């Protein structure tokens, strides 16, 4: 049977991102929504294993879609939580090699921030904005994803992600996604992003 995926613990307390992201949202988002993606991925992988054992692939399209949706949801959330840090540890700007790469690829940090913010605000419906390392061209890019898995590119490595599904912000910000995206910059954990960048570059 496939390896069982598990919900990773939050790397900080539920209220650690206050006032930018509220405790109630973090509890629901992590304990309910992310867990739902973990369970959905495990279910899909179990059903695909069952299909292989029985040689019955009548529902292959359904379970492959489920694996893509829930798997992408699980993996992106597993990046999202450590991408953030409590006030005092989060926010500001990156330094070192990551800062240099951002300036090289976007013109400046402010230009990158403007593009990332605009991309996050422009996602249609539910989805994500992502800063990624593109290994083929060896440069950073900003991408968006609808749901968790649509509009993405093969081979890229996500470094910084923001969840713009309504469940990520609606309790505190209602329909004001732009206010939530602006608040997100106060909790970005640039140390985590930099570690991902170093690992992705190889």
């Amino acid at each position: 049977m496939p390896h069982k995926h598990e919900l990773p613990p939050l790397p900080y307390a539920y209220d650690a991102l206050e006032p930018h992201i509220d405790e109630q949202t973090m509890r629901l988002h992590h304990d309910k929504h992310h867990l739902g993606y973990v369970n959905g991925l495990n279910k899909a992988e179990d059903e695909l294993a069952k299909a292989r054992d029985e040689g019955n692939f009548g529902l292959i399209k359904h379970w492959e879609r489920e694996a893509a949706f829930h798997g992408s949801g699980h993996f992106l959330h597993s990046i999202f939580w450590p991408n953030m840090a409590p006030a005092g540890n989060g926010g500001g700007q990156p330094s070192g090699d990551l800062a240099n790469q951002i300036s090289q690829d976007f013109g400046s940090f402010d230009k990158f921030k403007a593009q990332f913010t605009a991309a996050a605000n422009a996602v249609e419906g539910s989805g994500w904005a992502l800063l990624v390392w593109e290994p083929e061209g060896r440069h950073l890019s900003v991408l968006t994803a609808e749901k968790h898995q649509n509009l993405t590119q093969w081979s890229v490595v996500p470094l910084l992600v923001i969840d713009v599904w309504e469940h990520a912000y609606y309790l505190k910000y209602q329909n004001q996604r732009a206010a939530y995206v602006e608040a997100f910059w106060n909790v970005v954990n640039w140390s985590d992003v930099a570690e991902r960048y170093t690992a992705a570059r190889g």
Side-chain angles (χ1 to χ4, degrees), residues 26-159:
M26 291 297 293
R27 288 185 180 277
L28 289 170
H29 196 173
H30 177 268
D31 294 2
K32 303 297 184 183
H33 289 282
H34 189 173
L35 181 61
Y37 302 129
V38 173
N39 292 338
L41 176 58
N42 284 328
K43 172 71 171 176
E45 291 186 347
D46 286 346
E47 291 295 332
L48 289 166
K50 181 180 176 182
R52 290 191 298 273
D53 290 343
E54 297 176 354
N56 179 2
F57 295 103
L59 291 176
I60 188 69
K61 182 186 293 185
H62 171 73
W63 290 117
E64 293 287 5
R65 283 176 172 169
E66 287 287 287
F69 175 81
H70 290 288
S72 295
H74 170 44
F75 300 137
L76 285 171
H77 280 91
S78 296
I79 297 170
F80 182 55
W81 308 127
N83 264 178
M84 298 184 289
N89 295 315
Q93 297 187 18
S95 59
D97 291 341
L98 176 60
N100 294 336
Q101 191 75 50
I102 287 174
S103 292
Q104 176 181 314
D105 293 337
F106 296 97
S108 70
F109 176 80
D110 288 342
K111 289 180 179 179
F112 152 70
K113 182 178 177 181
Q115 181 179 344
F116 189 96
T117 298
N121 288 330
V123 172
E124 291 183 346
S126 301
W128 300 74
L130 309 88
L131 172 67
V132 302
W133 176 249
E134 202 281 276
E136 184 69 23
R138 299 205 54 84
H139 63 83
L140 298 169
S141 295
V142 170
L143 298 175
T144 59
E146 293 177 0
K147 297 182 180 179
H148 309 295
Q149 76 281 21
N150 296 337
L151 304 185
T152 49
Q153 291 178 356
W154 298 115
S155 87
V156 300
V157 182
L159 307 177

